[in-house]
Amino acid sequence: MRAGNNRGLLVKALFLGNVAADTYNGIKDALPADLDCVVVADPHDLARTPEAAGADILVSNHWRADYPPAPDIRLVQAVATGVDLFDLASLPKGAAICNAYGHETAIAEYVVMTWLALHHRLFQISGEFRERGSWRTSWVESGAPHGEVRNTTLGIVGYGRVGREVAKRAAPFGARILAANRSPREADPGTERVYPLADLDRMLPECDTVALCTALGPETTGLIDARRLALMKPDAFVINIARGPVIDEDALYEALRGGRLGGAAIDVWWQYPTEAEPNRRGSPHPFHELPNVIVTPHNSGWTSGMVRRRWDEVAENLRRFARGDSLINLVTTN
């Protein structure tokens, strides 16, 4: 999509929210000199910032229906990949909705890191040795050997940008790689097969680890429920870097607590911090108390390299819009 002819016109960009404010500070020197930028780090201040009115570009990770009207917005530039926090109905029709990537490398490394850690029981063994000096897992005490990823099967649900990067990094470890995807997609070298998402039930029983890398949508909400968890091997692992609601929260907790799954790494959650609860846990269930679960606060992709790549993409799109050139990373038109 082309942004239209904006040459010679004053273009205003509103950077809304703390992540957008950080983005502005990171890219301001790369923006056109005549781009009028308004930064509102705290969305509560939006109604008290009259200079934000008339913005042509919204740079943010969200937009709420109760915000002041923004009838002139022609480009909604997300500072992340997901656009599900934008209330598009309250934004102008015809606006281009674009996102930003740059996270694939970081998240793929996280998946491989936790995949290795789960199979090697790294955190359990290290924790016991650190806390109690326990040698019970060592050959010294004839402990039960821990696992390795060689000759195991890794199933990747969502064979898009992230899923393909995971497969590329996992294959050299000697693992068998399977994948499932919503739309037809050819398998890259190192991936044995890509199943249609409708055939997920055929893939799950073969997997020693299932990595959830899919986008959240009607087809994937509740995709991994109690029935599908029961299809998996009782010692299999789950890694979720997609979205919390892709997997049934109650069913996952019960399977992990009851020993019907080998373990999990969870980076995305079913609830997030609020102003009233800044340290709110990601679930009412105490996943963090389970010794076979790795928990992280939705930061698998939050690396310095990702931030720079994402900033560069946002800056590039704002320059393109100001010139009237074709936009990158177009998700949809409102």
Side-chain angles (χ1 to χ4, degrees):
M1 175 180 178
R2 299 189 73 83
N5 185 8
N6 298 312
R7 295 181 185 279
L9 300 176
L10 180 64
V11 177
K12 180 185 290 188
L14 167 62
F15 290 77
L16 179 65
N18 63 306
V19 179
D22 291 342
T23 300
Y24 172 74
N25 289 328
I27 67 174
K28 58 186 178 182
D29 293 339
L31 297 177
D34 57 351
L35 180 65
D36 183 16
C37 296
V38 179
V39 181
V40 182
D42 185 347
H44 291 103
D45 295 334
L46 183 59
R48 300 188 292 270
T49 312
E51 58 268 30
D56 306 280
I57 302 169
L58 168 66
V59 181
S60 188
N61 64 341
H62 76 288
W63 182 265
R64 287 176 20 189
D66 60 351
Y67 286 168
D72 299 315
I73 296 292
R74 290 180 285 149
L75 168 62
V76 176
Q77 176 61 61
V79 293
T81 306
V83 297
D84 46 300
L85 296 182
F86 289 89
D87 186 275
L88 298 181
S90 60
L91 288 166
K93 296 296 182 184
I97 315 298
C98 297
N99 62 2
Y101 292 96
H103 60 294
E104 302 91 335
T105 294
I107 296 181
E109 288 184 0
Y110 174 94
V111 171
V112 171
M113 174 179 65
T114 54
W115 175 55
L116 289 164
L118 287 166
H119 277 273
H120 285 263
R121 303 206 319 268
L122 177 64
F123 287 94
Q124 291 168 272
I125 293 171
S126 176
E128 287 185 9
F129 195 52
R130 178 186 298 274
E131 293 164 14
R132 302 190 298 277
S134 173
W135 293 80
R136 74 174 188 88
T137 56
S138 168
W139 65 271
V140 173
E141 297 290 342
S142 299
H146 57 77
E148 60 185 25
V149 299
R150 183 182 180 188
N151 294 327
T152 66
T153 298
L154 170 63
I156 301 169
V157 181
Y159 197 60
R161 289 177 182 245
V162 171
R164 292 199 303 273
E165 289 296 318
V166 170
K168 182 166 66 177
R169 286 162 175 76
F173 284 90
R176 177 188 182 215
I177 311 297
L178 302 175
N181 200 62
R182 285 185 290 181
S183 56
R185 186 154 286 166
E186 292 295 320
D188 295 326
T191 300
E192 182 179 305
R193 181 176 182 181
V194 180
Y195 289 85
L197 198 60
D199 289 343
L200 184 59
D201 289 1
R202 295 171 57 195
M203 186 186 86
L204 291 176
E206 299 188 50
C207 299
D208 300 290
T209 307
V210 175
L212 302 176
C213 303
T214 187
L216 182 64
E219 290 177 89
T220 58
T221 299
L223 180 69
I224 307 298
D225 54 12
R227 183 187 67 80
R228 284 193 162 129
L229 288 171
L231 292 176
M232 296 172 59
K233 298 176 182 180
D235 58 351
F237 301 112
V238 173
I239 301 171
N240 190 10
I241 55 81
R243 287 291 186 269
V246 169
I247 191 166
D248 184 285
E249 179 180 11
D250 298 333
L252 178 62
Y253 180 75
E254 290 304 321
L256 290 165
R257 186 179 67 166
R260 296 191 300 277
L261 277 179
I266 308 171
D267 185 55
V268 289
W269 297 92
W270 300 271
Q271 60 185 31
Y272 280 78
T274 64
E275 289 185 30
E277 292 183 88
N279 293 319
R280 188 186 191 195
R281 294 283 185 181
S283 170
H285 295 300
F287 282 96
H288 60 284
E289 295 180 359
L290 300 177
N292 56 344
V293 180
I294 299 169
V295 295
T296 51
H298 200 152
N299 67 350
S300 60
W302 194 246
T303 65
S304 56
M306 183 283 294
V307 170
R308 184 70 262 172
R309 290 187 293 272
R310 191 164 280 180
W311 285 351
D312 290 344
E313 289 190 0
V314 172
E316 174 63 16
N317 240 8
L318 268 57
R319 290 192 297 265
R320 285 170 175 257
F321 183 89
R323 295 194 305 263
D325 291 344
S326 297
L327 300 172
I328 61 172
N329 300 336
L330 179 69
V331 178
T332 188
T333 301
N334 201 20

